[in-house]
Amino acid sequence: MNGTLFEESGIQGVMRVRLSGAGERELASLNDQMRLGMSSEEMKRVQSYFRGLGREPTDIELHSIAQAWSEHCSYKTSKPVLRRFVFPLAKRAYAVGDAGVMEFDDSHVYSLKMESHNHPSAIEPYGGAGTGIGGIVRDILCMGTKPVALADPLFFGDLDTALSELPPGDKHPKYLLAGVVGGIRDYGNRIGVPTVAGGVWFDDRYLSNCLVNAACIGFGRKDKIVGNGFRHKGNAIVIAGGLTGRDGIHGVNFASQILTAGSHESDRGAVQLGDPITKEPLINAVLQLVEEGAIDSMKDLGGGGLSAVVGEMALSGGHAAVIDIDKMPLRETGMLPWEIWVSESQERMLLSVSEKNLKHVLDVFDFWDVRASKIGRVESGSSVVVMHAGSRIVDLDTSFFVKAPEYNRPMQKRKIERPRVKPIDMLDGLNRMVERIISDINVASRDWIVHMYDYEVGGRTVVKPLQGATGTLSHGDASVLKPLRDSWSGLAIAVSSQPWISAVDPYQGAVAAVDELCRQLTAVGAKPDAVTNCLNFANPEKPGVMWEFYESVRGMADAAARMNLCLPSGNVSFYNDGEHGPILPSIALTGVGLVDDVRRSVTSDIKRDGSYLYLIGKQDNRLGCSELSRIYSTGDIDFAPVELNRLHTLSSALNRAMSEGLVLSCHDVSQGGILTGAAEMAFGGDTGVLIDTTDLGKGDIRAKLFSEAPTRWLVEVSPRNSERLQSIFGQNATLLGTTGSSKITIMEESAVKYSEEIAYLRRLWSQPLWDRMGSS
Amino acid sequence: MKLPEIRVAVLRIEGTNMAEEAAAAAGASGAAAELIHLKQLEGRCPPGLRRSLGDYHMVILPGGFSAGDYVRAGAIFASRIKSSLGQEFLRFIDDGHPVLGICNGFQVLVELGILPAGGEKGELLPKAALTTNISTRYECRPALLKNVNKGHCVFTRRIRPGGILAVPTAHAEGKMTFPPGKTDEWFARLEEMDELVFRYVDRSGAYAGYPWNPNGSVYNIAGITDETGFVLGMMPHPERTYWRYLHSDWTRAGLEGGMEGDGRQLFDSAFDYIVSKF
């Protein structure tokens, strides 16, 4: 490296960089040495900016730009696609910003946002997952809404991976699962926000790069919603919360590159440290100040640290900011100004407060023992200025610095090869097949995880994630919250993803994920209203991956538009790739549905003997991308695609049937098909079911029972209401059988094809995670 | 005194995250509940926020992770109460004021040495411990409790003896543990002094092992009172089944029987007592 590019600036701790004369190789070497993570075009763009100013940059200025232009902060790859398909679907939002805000009733709103914390969790699962929760909670908070629920879609490699098969540097999926769940548990439970929904997917292709997506739902009043920009000249800029240290430096650059074997050691410093017991009082203090109207605007410090937040608040509020970096409260001594400026230390919020309210704001933080300091002021203009030791060490035009160049990266459609499919006749008989599917790790009970989350702190969780009789809880489809004491209106929350369909056809995979989400929300009695998402992909600089991304976004948007779902917030995570290869394209969705009256909520457990069990929806025996085809490696990728019109019609019809009180229990048909759905209903209600597959049409009984065709539900109805139900659904309701006994029995053409005790099947279904994870 | 005149302090420090539900429960029963930071009783706050124990008729130590529970659960909150309120807190109880410790609050009462009592007044030194669950981890679970108190505890006056309540648990350290070799002796003493209040049972009402007993507590102990009967410490959360629609299985039984949940009876019992006593 040509060391002569750096020279003393005459200001302590700040170097000047002689950029103007640097050639291409010097720029590249500077990029590496400073770990800027920029492309050569981007370096040249920065060079010409400073040439235009007629001066050389400081090191801290280059770090500022590099942070802001990282994929993580700027969405430079995804924004053109999102702008085309997704942003138009935010129109119904009450407000957008760090989180999407939606109307709940005349005076209340709810907010929603999801974010990935994939790379930190792959390296340090406990801390990575915990700070993922911490970050998403701050996003909800800084809209002026109270965090009321968490939901977490998680994706890991195969738990049975032999240690000898583990690629160099990668951590075993068991270690990652235990660490991630532990991190969510200890952070979420400690700050008192219930984790009410989630999903876990296991596949070999997440071996090198697990996915940890965290969603938070907030609740608040319309008249208290707070913006995220610097809007008023003369306001004080206040930092509140945790101290600033060297943790998380260059976290955004680390998130914008693929993981290598070396990452596990060298990038540990890019993982931040969470502290829920600083966060809990910070939440209390901020909510009190929101209630009092004492905060003009705020934003949380996440990726890119203070640099990113000051830049984004200045840009969105149309004002300049002057920060005195020497006023920052630090955790350690000897930090250079640029390190303070880009540190991603956790539990920090930046507030814009009028001088009139400043003393009160500082007093309230003091009462809660939360550190808060004025570190700057809002000015008119369009620049971001940082002062240190009396000198100006950053002076950047806001829009140049914050608005990264965008890319329309090349795409290449993947050719789908139709493999030869192993015929179903060659597979196990029904008995053995039921047992294998019900005990498969992707179907088996999640109670090992769910019980570790406090799903009811806050006293709002009316329908819990595990449903049924005490002692025999089973999987529900969604949870329901009752956010107001004096209203019966509720919010339903569910999570979905269809990575295996996405791997074959990313457009259809995204549509299928929306279908699943709508099924789950309607299954408890909600009208699907808004969706937040994490779009997890591999390296977008590869045209095939870029195509997957584009198609997924297009599919998600088409499905959301047809279902009148608002998409007010979301997140993109690229570069999920590692030694074992890229991840499956993974659209993780967290949806919120509105419930008119929580007293009408429906759970999945069978309620009584002698009810009728109906299939709602259209039977389709195709088995592509199903649990069955994966377990038996049939190679079948011929799946039944979603028909959005049917989804729309049946969702509304199910809402109507539930509002009339016709439905005793309901469960959507998803992984493991009708048989798994019915079994989970039987487990929760500790009541058996007899299913006759004759009316499901022609075909192998195994295909009928294990097909995962979309837009289907199982509903339990009292015999006296069956006529009414059939008049609502017409051809879309098929009588499958009756409830009762202690067995699950399958009949066809008047012959018993399968019969087994619930207690036996429940054991097979409930043990797999406990057997693998023990009591860790 | 009348019900609306009852003032309840729900005491919190950082990490005490279930104060609002406890206050909402007390408020829904008709009392006036106030969230109080321990600093306000210590005087480490602006003058207008200063409070004193004498302003209240009842104290609730709510659930949560006070100070993070990074050492033994409840230990830091207990030591702060000990150093700032100390004897004043014991006098508050002796004067007949109910104290309800829920989950982390129970852990605080055990760390304070107020529970278990065994007929003897606490000396602010712990005599037993709430140790790590038999599952070795934090768990949130529905639980069923049998009321085994014979009339000594003021929190169960409205509950039928032997009656079973659905009151869920959510903790990592809730296993009632006595000094080695002293378990049977302690249990007998608690039974003799009528200081046992709630024990975990299964669906049939029988004493059963994990997960019906969610933490492996000895003799299925879920909640106990002290020698005065004014204190109740329990791991399960009565505020979480204050309303019927918060019960984990309400969609099975329906809401036709009314909105009052099982947990409400504890609050109403205590308020009955306060109304009659003061």
Side-chain angles (χ1 to χ4, degrees), chain B:
Chain B
M1 77 187 311
K2 295 201 172 64
L3 184 58
E5 294 163 6
I6 298 176
R7 290 171 56 85
V8 180
V10 182
L11 199 56
R12 61 176 168 178
I13 63 170
E14 69 278 5
T16 307
N17 59 36
M18 295 168 211
E20 286 181 27
E21 299 100 290
S29 279
E34 193 183 352
L35 301 177
I36 301 295
H37 198 289
L38 184 61
K39 290 170 85 169
Q40 292 174 263
L41 296 178
E42 296 168 342
R44 294 191 299 120
C45 62
L49 296 175
R50 183 85 170 95
R51 298 287 184 277
S52 135
L53 267 187
D55 300 338
Y56 303 96
H57 305 101
M58 173 168 158
V59 165
I60 300 178
L61 298 168
F65 294 81
S66 51
D69 282 348
Y70 292 116
V71 294
R72 281 190 325 277
I76 291 176
F77 198 177
S79 95
R80 295 227 300 242
I81 290 177
K82 197 151 74 173
S83 67
S84 59
L85 301 177
Q87 295 299 326
E88 189 190 346
F89 193 61
L90 297 183
R91 276 197 302 277
F92 181 78
I93 296 167
D94 283 343
D95 291 344
H97 295 112
V99 170
L100 174 61
I102 304 168
C103 195
N104 196 223
F106 183 22
Q107 293 164 338
V108 170
L109 290 169
V110 170
E111 286 290 330
L112 276 171
I114 292 172
L115 293 176
E120 287 172 22
K121 178 152 295 305
E123 291 171 16
L124 296 177
L125 287 171
K127 297 182 282 286
L130 289 160
T131 56
T132 302
N133 295 349
I134 192 169
S135 64
T136 73
R137 53 195 215 134
Y138 176 99
E139 288 193 333
C140 177
R141 284 185 178 277
L144 298 173
L145 313 183
K146 184 172 175 181
N147 171 24
V148 295
N149 200 258
K150 301 185 189 89
H152 178 51
C153 179
V154 298
F155 286 92
T156 50
R157 293 187 168 187
R158 282 201 182 196
I159 306 167
R160 186 173 60 80
I164 294 175
L165 279 66
V167 185
T169 57
H171 59 260
E173 294 158 72
K175 180 180 168 185
M176 191 81 228
T177 307
F178 296 105
K182 302 277 187 193
T183 302
D184 295 340
E185 197 182 308
W186 260 108
F187 182 74
R189 186 94 181 118
L190 292 174
E191 197 166 34
E192 184 197 339
M193 304 307 297
D194 197 21
E195 293 177 14
L196 293 170
V197 182
F198 293 119
R199 294 174 68 189
Y200 301 108
V201 290
D202 68 13
R203 233 189 257 182
S204 70
Y207 298 119
Y210 176 82
W212 293 106
N213 173 351
N215 47 41
S217 197
V218 296
Y219 287 101
N220 287 51
I221 292 173
I224 51 177
T225 186
D226 72 342
E227 82 286 359
T228 67
F230 304 137
V231 178
L232 172 63
M234 60 192 295
M235 289 314 296
H237 286 268
E239 79 282 16
R240 292 186 173 193
T241 43
Y242 186 88
W243 301 109
R244 184 60 49 184
Y245 54 77
L246 294 176
H247 281 239
S248 68
D249 59 353
W250 70 265
T251 58
R252 301 187 66 72
L255 297 170
E256 288 73 25
M259 287 299 164
E260 296 187 4
D262 288 358
R264 174 165 186 163
Q265 301 176 58
L266 278 75
F267 294 89
D268 289 346
S269 295
F271 297 147
D272 282 354
Y273 155 75
I274 294 173
V275 165
S276 66
K277 159 106 183 179
F278 295 99

Side-chain angles (χ1 to χ4, degrees), chain A residues 576-653:
Chain A
N576 292 295
D577 198 342
E579 299 286 331
H580 190 67
I583 60 158
L584 295 171
S586 308
I587 319 291
L589 305 179
T590 296
V592 180
L594 297 176
V595 179
D596 291 337
D597 185 339
V598 298
R599 292 170 294 186
R600 292 261 184 222
S601 298
V602 173
T603 53
S604 65
D605 46 310
I606 289 175
K607 299 298 184 297
R608 53 179 91 136
D609 289 356
S611 304
Y612 287 169
L613 189 70
Y614 278 90
L615 175 74
I616 303 296
K618 191 175 164 211
Q619 179 64 14
D620 186 316
N621 291 346
R622 276 179 281 185
L623 286 165
C625 305
S626 66
E627 189 64 26
L628 183 152
S629 69
R630 272 197 312 286
I631 291 181
Y632 290 97
S633 306
T634 66
D636 190 352
I637 58 170
D638 183 18
F639 59 88
V642 176
E643 287 179 34
L644 287 169
N645 287 336
R646 184 186 305 131
L647 174 63
H648 188 263
T649 307
L650 293 185
S651 296
S652 308

Side-chain angles (χ1 to χ4, degrees), chain A residues 11 98 230 412 444 573 579 600 630 636 656 660-661 666 684 699:
Chain A
I11 307 159
D98 282 14
F230 291 136
Q412 187 177 19
S573 171
E579 299 286 331
R600 292 261 184 222
R630 272 197 312 286
D636 190 352
R656 188 160 68 248
E660 290 182 22
C666 178

